[in-house]
Amino acid sequence: MTESTQQTSLEYFRYRLGRDLSAAGGWFKAKWKSSLLFKLGAFGLIVMLLAWVAGWVFLARDLPDAEGLLDYETPLPTVVRGIDGEIVHSYARERRVQLQYPDFPEKLVEAYLSAEDKTFFSHGGVDITGTANAVFDYVSKLGSGDRAVGGSTITQQVAKNLLLGDEYSVTRKLKEMILASRIEGVMTKQEILELYLNEIPLGRRSFGVQAASRAYFDRDVVDLELHQMAFLAILPKAPERYGRAANEERAMERRDFVLSQMEENGFITAEEEAAAKAKPLGLVRQRTQRSADAGYFLEEVRRKLIADFGESAEDGENSVYAGGLWVRTSLDPEMQDAARKALRQGLVRYHGSRGWSGPIATINFDDGAWDSQLASSNISVNYENWRVGVVTNRSGSSATIGFSDGEEKPLSGLPNALKAGDVIAVVPSGNGYRVQAIPHAQGGLVVQNAQYGRVLAMQGGFDYRLSDFNRATQAERQPGSTIKPFVYATGLDHGMTPSTEIDNSRYCYYQGRRLGEKCIRGGRAGEFPLRYGLEQSQNIMTVQIGMTAGMDNVVQQIEDLGIGSYDPYPAFALGAGESTVMKMTAAYAALANHGRLNDPTVIDYVQDRDGKVIYRADNRKCDGCNMPKWDGKPMPRFGLKGEQAMDARTAFQTMHMLKGVVDRGTATVLNDLGLPLFGKTGTTTGPKDVWFIGGTQELIAGAYVGFDTPRNMGGYAQGGTIAAPIIKTLIRESRDKWSDLPAIAPAGVRMVRVDRRSGKRVLDGWPTNDKRSAIIWEAFKPDTEPERSTRADEIAAKRDEILELIKSARGGAAQADEASNDEVADFVEDQGGLY
């Protein structure tokens, strides 16, 4: 077509347009002048058009942006994994699991389409027929108080659930329709269905079909049968109604209706429909628990996550209860089971026959049904066959116990103070139950990897369900004699050796001109090597070492190891300060780790919902680890982890001496485990607390037992008889986790044969497998080895050996020494006011 021809066509079009508009305008003017009815109709039409535009502007002006759904992230719980990568827990206030569209079974999608929106794939967001039915239903129910059927498409439900809320009004319905049209313009049908099936509330605190599948059937969606899929499809209408056992008949009717719709829509055959209708609902009352029994450990993880990332969505995109974090922890479930069992058995063993320790809690029957109150209290116990219940009736020597499921049984073994409303622990007895005492004494236990600081297990009390106070990390207690190794380590750093002899007869201290000098007598009189003082937990020797090395240096060493900050007074050399099991265990781990201190960690790393690592506990650099091609040089390796808090040789010397505590000292109860164990017992003034901390060069365990409000535990209570047996049970229950390889010494340590009683060097004999052998290997720094023993030394050593055998025959020297010397005597009052 030529340019002139194009111009001619354009002119013709303009001519026709002008002529037709003029004709229409003329017709409109003529009608307007001649017909009143036409004027009224035209005016009404204009008003309606303006009203429609104004209404649209009014409703649409503050609607959310539909495009925001493209970046919408479902609020997801945090999933916690153990050391082996298996899921051990999740932090969730709602049950949510996000799936992608291909993950949803086809029949499940078809069930929801049949139940909610069979024209979903053909409409543009609003179903005209469904909307008309909804309007008719709404008008017919005006004034009745009944709620009209929604008539909402799946797209409208997405708009309502995610962007608008559940307000019941015509205005909200109109906004919903506008927004649904917008959503259809920015999202595909599959994307809309994915949002819907992940977000729809389906009862039992579950959102989305995967969470509901677990809540109602304890199955993943891929494992559901047809009749179960149809049941899930009925829940959007009334999830709390159809999910209850009392409404099973109504749920069956609605489920069968959905199955009929699926057959009518061609999604299933008649035979499949009949087979599915013949099946019962099959709802489970309680789904399988995926959480490890590690309440104290998992609560410690939760606290750290909240501190770092926030609690709810308002705190940030990676919050604990909405961010969908994946957390890899150092929790070893097998070690945790062993730790829980060991501490509980130790507490029950100590409690013995002391009788009932009072109720766990009380319930006021005037506040409502006792079974509902008990269930909502979340008080329970998971130990052997124990149960927690409430005393529903007490009349003289008879009583009944009730449980959260409403069951009531006869109760026997009634303490005088027991009354109705008491929440107590019970054990089966005959055709009823018998009162069981919860140990009044509590304690804490921690197991830590020495080389990396990873906490493998943590038990902060008898049962987390009874008390969430974590005594492993929150209870500040006097560590007693477990502090002594760090006093001896300070002495080794200031010129002493394991063979240095220290006077154990008495300790004299000048208290000022008015009080003068005060002297305190020790246990066994005489001078003894450092090893003897540590093995037998001699208080006088410990104070002598601390004062000689300088208490300023001692408390600095203690602070460098993260135990605590104390004043330079002699009492703190005997454990008069306060610390936690976690801190003490980490300090002992530094002894095993050649003096390198690692902060104890419960989290290895954290990933966001997309798998990106956003936190890592081990931040060591590894130059060359990510090179695309090997350069022929030695393999790149990570550097050492932790901070060098003490001399590596000193740490090994101290650990080596602590092995004697297990071999011959106050922790001989651990002797028969066949492991190269080291450690130290502790018994504080009173005694109020008893301790043991120790292990191997790879794993360290620490435990204490005491009352939450410190009080006397009884004169017989000792670290070697109460705390050390707890560690023994722990090791026996997790024996395959403990290596029997001997400790490795750092560079600069010389192993020398010595007489263990005199500390003198021996050249004409060898150590034996007898733990009480006179000749042992001792660790020394270069040029600090002792002189050779003399004949007089050998005679004195023989005399000591005979005396030791006599004492052993009378009842055991180790226990006697523990009782007399492992206590932290009150230096201020009982031993002369030393300060």
Side-chain angles (χ1 to χ4, degrees):
M1 183 181 291
T2 64
E3 184 176 349
S4 59
T5 303
Q6 289 179 349
Q7 291 177 346
T8 302
S9 299
L10 183 59
E11 290 173 356
Y12 177 74
F13 175 75
R14 289 175 178 173
Y15 164 74
R16 288 295 303 270
L17 181 62
R19 189 187 68 177
D20 293 343
L21 287 176
S22 297
W27 176 84
F28 185 85
K29 287 179 181 179
K31 285 289 186 181
W32 183 269
K33 291 179 180 180
S34 63
S35 174
L36 178 62
L37 185 62
F38 180 81
K39 286 182 180 181
L40 295 175
F43 183 76
L45 183 62
I46 293 171
V47 171
M48 288 177 61
L49 180 62
L50 291 175
W52 182 84
V53 172
W56 179 276
V57 172
F58 174 76
L59 293 172
R61 60 180 177 148
D62 57 351
L63 286 180
D65 184 6
E67 292 188 359
L69 291 178
L70 294 173
D71 301 321
Y72 176 79
E73 292 186 335
T74 301
L76 293 176
T78 289
V79 178
V80 183
R81 298 181 183 272
I83 197 171
D84 56 0
E86 293 295 321
I87 294 176
V88 295
H89 191 64
S90 66
Y91 302 116
R93 294 187 175 126
E94 299 168 342
R95 292 177 176 142
R96 291 181 182 267
V97 180
Q98 187 175 22
L99 300 180
Q100 295 181 337
Y101 184 75
D103 298 327
F104 299 114
E106 183 179 358
K107 285 289 182 285
L108 179 64
V109 174
E110 293 168 348
Y112 273 91
L113 294 179
S114 299
E116 295 293 317
D117 189 0
K118 66 180 180 180
T119 63
F120 173 75
F121 281 101
S122 60
H123 64 62
V126 178
D127 182 6
I128 301 302
T129 304
T131 301
N133 291 335
V135 171
F136 177 79
D137 190 61
Y138 179 79
V139 172
S140 65
K141 290 180 178 177
L142 279 175
S144 67
D146 294 334
R147 185 163 182 160
V149 296
S152 295
T153 64
I154 284 178
T155 312
Q156 287 176 262
Q157 292 183 56
V158 169
K160 177 187 70 174
N161 293 333
L162 300 184
L163 300 175
L164 292 177
D166 197 28
E167 176 193 356
Y168 180 63
S169 68
V170 174
T171 301
R172 196 269 299 162
K173 178 63 68 173
L174 293 173
K175 289 182 178 181
E176 181 184 293
M177 295 168 66
I178 296 171
L179 199 51
S181 298
R182 292 182 179 180
I183 292 173
E184 291 275 352
V186 298
M187 300 182 72
T188 67
K189 291 288 187 179
Q190 288 76 16
E191 288 173 334
I192 294 171
L193 267 177
E194 181 179 310
L195 263 179
Y196 175 76
L197 294 174
N198 278 323
E199 290 292 330
I200 188 73
L202 297 174
R204 294 196 181 183
R205 296 191 302 112
S206 60
F207 289 76
V209 293
Q210 169 61 22
S213 179
R214 274 285 167 190
Y216 289 99
F217 300 111
D218 200 18
R219 294 186 181 188
D220 295 322
V221 289
V222 294
D223 299 322
L224 290 176
E225 298 180 37
L226 178 60
H227 71 285
Q228 295 170 328
M229 295 179 186
F231 171 81
L232 293 184
I234 74 173
L235 292 175
K237 296 295 184 186
E240 297 302 335
R241 180 197 308 161
Y242 292 134
R244 294 179 180 175
N247 299 322
E248 182 175 351
E249 196 64 36
R250 298 177 67 181
M252 292 275 285
E253 292 176 4
R254 180 66 183 170
R255 181 202 68 176
D256 291 349
F257 169 76
V258 171
L259 289 169
S260 298
Q261 290 295 301
M262 292 182 71
E263 192 276 334
E264 183 178 319
N265 295 332
F267 295 142
I268 60 175
T269 65
E271 291 76 14
E272 289 174 321
E273 175 193 359
K277 286 182 176 180
K279 300 222 176 146
L281 286 182
L283 305 184
V284 297
R285 292 192 60 183
Q286 186 173 8
R287 69 191 191 113
T288 302
Q289 296 295 320
R290 289 186 173 183
S291 178
D293 192 357
Y296 293 104
F297 189 107
L298 295 170
E299 176 61 16
E300 195 69 19
V301 172
R302 190 185 76 93
R303 287 173 181 163
K304 177 167 179 54
L305 290 173
I306 289 177
D308 291 347
F309 302 110
E311 184 172 356
S312 58
E314 292 75 18
D315 299 320
E317 61 181 353
N318 294 319
S319 63
V320 173
Y321 288 100
L325 302 178
W326 291 87
V327 182
R328 175 66 72 92
T329 71
S330 54
L331 175 67
D332 185 326
E334 293 181 17
M335 186 68 80
Q336 177 64 37
D337 290 345
R340 185 179 63 253
K341 179 178 181 179
L343 182 61
R344 285 174 168 178
Q345 285 187 353
L347 295 175
V348 171
R349 185 166 52 243
Y350 170 72
H351 187 84
S353 58
R354 284 178 172 78
W356 192 54
S357 51
I360 303 168
T362 57
I363 282 179
N364 187 343
F365 294 147
D366 295 334
D367 293 338
W370 57 264
D371 54 343
S372 298
Q373 290 191 64
L374 183 61
S376 62
S377 71
N378 293 320
I379 299 175
S380 62
V381 62
N382 182 25
Y383 180 65
E384 295 184 349
N385 58 352
W386 295 18
R387 295 183 70 181
V388 167
V390 58
V391 180
T392 55
N393 179 57
R394 171 72 192 270
S395 178
S397 60
S398 64
T400 54
I401 187 76
F403 302 102
S404 58
D405 58 3
E407 178 188 25
E408 288 188 79
K409 291 286 185 179
L411 182 64
S412 60
L414 309 180
N416 291 333
L418 186 74
K419 63 184 183 301
D422 284 346
V423 178
I424 62 172
V426 295
V427 294
S429 177
N431 63 344
Y433 287 84
R434 175 172 48 84
V435 175
Q436 177 65 52
I438 297 289
H440 197 189
Q442 289 285 354
L445 192 157
V446 171
V447 183
Q448 180 179 331
N449 179 282
Q451 277 68 50
Y452 302 104
R454 302 167 78 196
V455 177
L456 306 180
M458 179 192 303
Q459 188 69 15
F462 186 80
D463 198 306
Y464 180 78
R465 303 163 190 81
L466 301 176
S467 168
D468 61 1
F469 179 66
N470 191 342
R471 296 156 189 86
T473 60
Q474 296 175 290
E476 296 277 348
R477 315 293 290 220
Q478 288 186 342
S481 292
T482 58
I483 204 74
K484 290 179 180 177
F486 308 107
V487 180
Y488 282 71
T490 307
L492 293 172
D493 276 338
H494 289 79
M496 299 182 189
T497 76
S499 293
T500 299
E501 293 191 319
I502 304 295
D503 182 23
N504 193 43
S505 303
R506 63 178 185 169
Y507 171 68
C508 297
Y509 190 82
Y510 183 72
Q511 303 178 100
R513 185 175 60 181
R514 187 173 63 87
L515 295 176
E517 186 177 63
K518 179 69 175 181
C519 292
I520 308 150
R521 294 186 61 82
R524 183 178 173 190
E527 291 190 347
F528 302 94
L530 261 69
R531 169 175 285 279
Y532 173 84
L534 191 54
E535 287 184 1
Q536 303 302 327
S537 198
Q538 298 295 303
N539 285 344
I540 297 301
M541 289 182 66
T542 303
V543 175
Q544 296 271 28
I545 294 167
M547 296 300 288
T548 301
M551 281 304 300
D552 286 329
N553 297 321
V554 171
V555 296
Q556 186 61 54
Q557 178 78 280
I558 291 172
E559 185 173 347
D560 290 344
L561 289 165
I563 296 172
S565 298
Y566 310 132
D567 294 322
Y569 301 143
F572 292 113
L574 301 178
E578 292 183 339
S579 189
T580 67
V581 177
M582 179 78 88
K583 293 176 181 178
M584 292 298 298
T585 303
Y588 272 70
L591 294 178
N593 194 29
H594 294 172
R596 296 190 71 86
L597 177 68
N598 288 298
D599 290 331
T601 61
V602 293
I603 298 175
D604 290 345
Y605 60 85
V606 179
Q607 296 169 281
D608 65 15
R609 66 172 67 216
D610 298 320
K612 179 183 177 183
V613 176
I614 57 176
Y615 168 83
R616 189 186 298 276
D618 188 351
N619 289 315
R620 289 176 295 167
K621 294 182 179 180
C622 182
D623 296 331
C625 283
N626 293 325
M627 67 175 66
K629 186 178 180 181
W630 181 46
D631 58 4
K633 296 179 181 179
M635 180 184 296
R637 298 181 183 276
F638 286 102
L640 295 175
K641 191 173 185 294
E643 174 188 355
Q644 196 69 47
M646 66 190 307
D647 186 287
R649 300 166 301 173
T650 298
F652 183 82
Q653 286 179 295
T654 307
M655 182 184 72
H656 190 65
M657 288 193 293
L658 286 172
K659 189 176 183 303
V661 175
V662 177
D663 291 343
R664 296 169 294 274
T666 57
T668 53
V669 68
L670 302 173
N671 244 333
D672 59 355
L673 291 173
L675 290 171
L677 296 172
F678 75 94
K680 185 71 185 73
T681 57
T683 309
T684 64
T685 304
K688 294 186 176 71
D689 298 297
V690 292
W691 293 70
F692 178 84
I693 305 175
T696 65
Q697 202 169 35
E698 181 181 358
L699 296 178
I700 305 297
Y704 94 90
V705 174
F707 296 99
D708 285 344
T709 301
R711 59 184 175 87
N712 197 309
M713 295 181 67
Y716 63 90
Q718 301 166 19
T721 58
I722 295 177
I726 292 175
I727 302 301
K728 185 172 186 177
T729 302
L730 166 74
I731 295 175
R732 280 183 170 170
E733 292 293 324
S734 57
R735 181 62 178 81
D736 60 328
K737 306 283 185 181
W738 300 80
S739 172
D740 55 3
L741 295 176
I744 298 174
V749 169
R750 296 182 179 180
M751 302 303 295
V752 177
R753 288 172 287 160
V754 301
D755 184 290
R756 68 176 176 86
R757 298 178 183 84
S758 66
K760 298 296 181 65
R761 191 168 188 170
V762 174
L763 298 178
D764 55 353
W766 292 90
T768 68
N769 292 329
D770 182 5
K771 296 183 183 298
R772 295 190 176 275
S773 171
I775 302 174
I776 62 171
W777 290 107
E778 192 64 272
F780 293 92
K781 298 170 185 174
D783 300 324
T784 65
E785 300 91 336
E787 299 176 351
R788 184 177 180 179
S789 62
T790 64
R791 178 63 177 165
D793 294 328
E794 294 174 359
I795 294 173
K798 193 65 176 176
R799 180 198 62 196
D800 290 341
E801 182 179 359
I802 294 172
L803 290 174
E804 189 172 326
L805 290 173
I806 293 172
K807 291 176 69 176
S808 297
R810 291 177 176 175
Q815 287 76 8
D817 283 333
E818 169 79 10
S820 62
N821 293 300
D822 204 24
E823 298 179 5
V824 179
D826 192 328
F827 254 58
V828 180
E829 298 177 5
D830 297 342
Q831 297 198 359
L834 299 179
Y835 221 65

